[in-house]
Amino acid sequence: MNIGVIGVGHIGGTLAEKFVKAGHQVSVANSRGKEAVRAFAEKIGAAPSDISEIVKGKDVVILAVPLPAIEKLPRDLFKDAGKTIVVDTSNYYPDLRDSHIKELDEGKTESLWVSEKIGHPIIKAFNNVLGNTLAEKGRKKGDEGRLAAAAAGDSAEDKAVVMRLIDEAGFDPVDGGTLEESWRQQPGTPCYCCDYNKEEMEKALQEAVPGKAPGVRDAINDHLMHLAKAPTHEEIIQVNRGAHHKE
């Protein structure tokens, strides 16, 4: 497939490299222009691109930028996207990284907000695994201990394509339901960044309670910020799991 990736940070950069290795034609772009991503693109075997070009002719475009950056994308970026599948990897972290967004604070599902902002349907995926998990913990299909990642969206056909990409990235894909239901994989929910296998992920998605996640998200962030030293990957996983399974 022809895949465009907007954002070359931990998530976008890792996905771009994985999909090049899987045999896809990959282009990368960020807000600073083609030259800003050229060195990275050449390193992994992708093509550098300007934001204005990144959607043209693509089968899939992956939005791997912080959620507030969605509003700074060119207004007509997806105007002629047609059947291009757009994947949203973003998460909302008010008071930690992001400025407050009234609609989200009032309970609107994050990816519905993203879809409305870009004027195009999206699939929510690759948002409920940590960057280190994505980069280091992918396994071949059938391997013992393979972890899972969820995908949610309204088009069964588009979601199936994204779930194949999750598989190629080294994870068991789990159907997270409709885009409205993608709140179940937002920060603070039982399936968010817990390094679960497929069975555990499916169970955790169903355990999510409407309206509870923001408070859990904020409590987890506050706890991690007040640790004496930066938490390890394992410590973050333990804190996330423990927020939903207290003794």
Side-chain angles (χ1 to χ4, degrees):
M1 287 190 293
N2 196 337
I3 299 174
V5 181
I6 301 176
V8 293
H10 210 169
I11 300 298
T14 297
L15 289 174
E17 185 170 10
K18 281 177 176 283
F19 295 145
V20 168
K21 290 179 179 178
H24 298 291
Q25 182 179 345
V26 179
S27 299
V28 296
N30 68 13
S31 60
R32 293 178 293 154
K34 183 181 291 188
E35 292 308 311
V37 298
R38 185 176 296 280
F40 173 77
E42 292 177 351
K43 177 183 177 182
I44 68 169
S49 176
D50 285 322
I51 285 282
S52 61
E53 303 169 348
I54 194 67
V55 178
K56 296 176 182 177
K58 301 300 189 297
D59 299 303
V60 176
V61 170
I62 298 172
L63 281 174
V65 299
L67 190 142
I70 301 294
E71 290 190 292
K72 298 179 181 179
L73 293 172
R75 290 180 178 274
D76 62 348
L77 185 60
F78 294 96
K79 180 172 64 71
D80 299 316
K83 294 184 178 181
T84 298
I85 300 169
V86 179
V87 181
D88 171 35
T89 73
S90 67
N91 291 300
Y92 182 47
Y93 281 105
D95 295 324
L96 180 67
R97 180 195 64 193
D98 305 333
S99 57
H100 279 267
I101 297 172
K102 185 173 183 290
E103 292 166 281
L104 300 184
D105 290 340
E106 292 175 348
K108 192 178 190 68
T109 300
E110 293 168 16
S111 283
L112 284 177
W113 181 88
V114 172
S115 181
E116 291 170 2
K117 288 298 177 183
I118 70 171
H120 193 83
I122 62 173
I123 303 295
K124 183 77 165 186
F126 298 112
N127 78 297
N128 76 319
V129 292
L130 291 171
N132 184 66
T133 298
L134 188 62
E136 304 293 339
K137 296 184 177 294
R139 299 289 184 271
K140 292 181 180 179
K141 188 172 184 177
D143 278 4
E144 184 177 356
R146 198 186 202 212
L147 302 180
D154 296 333
S155 167
E157 181 178 357
D158 291 355
K159 186 161 52 178
V161 171
V162 176
M163 291 175 76
R164 287 199 297 273
L165 290 176
I166 290 174
D167 184 41
E168 290 181 3
F171 300 87
D172 282 335
V174 172
D175 191 335
T178 66
L179 195 62
E180 174 62 53
E181 293 174 306
S182 67
W183 66 267
R184 294 180 179 274
Q185 63 195 69
Q186 291 178 181
T189 57
C191 82
Y192 184 76
C193 295
C194 287
D195 279 6
Y196 282 146
N197 63 29
K198 185 175 182 179
E199 181 179 349
E200 292 167 331
M201 179 73 73
E202 291 172 339
K203 182 174 183 290
L205 280 165
Q206 296 308 310
E207 290 176 344
V209 177
K212 184 178 180 180
V216 176
R217 173 200 65 202
D218 294 346
I220 290 173
N221 292 339
D222 184 67
H223 174 75
L224 294 175
M225 288 176 63
H226 286 86
L227 292 177
K229 59 180 181 178
T232 65
H233 175 87
E234 289 72 22
E235 287 171 337
I236 295 173
I237 295 300
Q238 289 175 1
V239 170
N240 286 345
R241 291 185 178 191
H244 304 282
H245 301 285
K246 299 182 184 297
E247 296 294 329

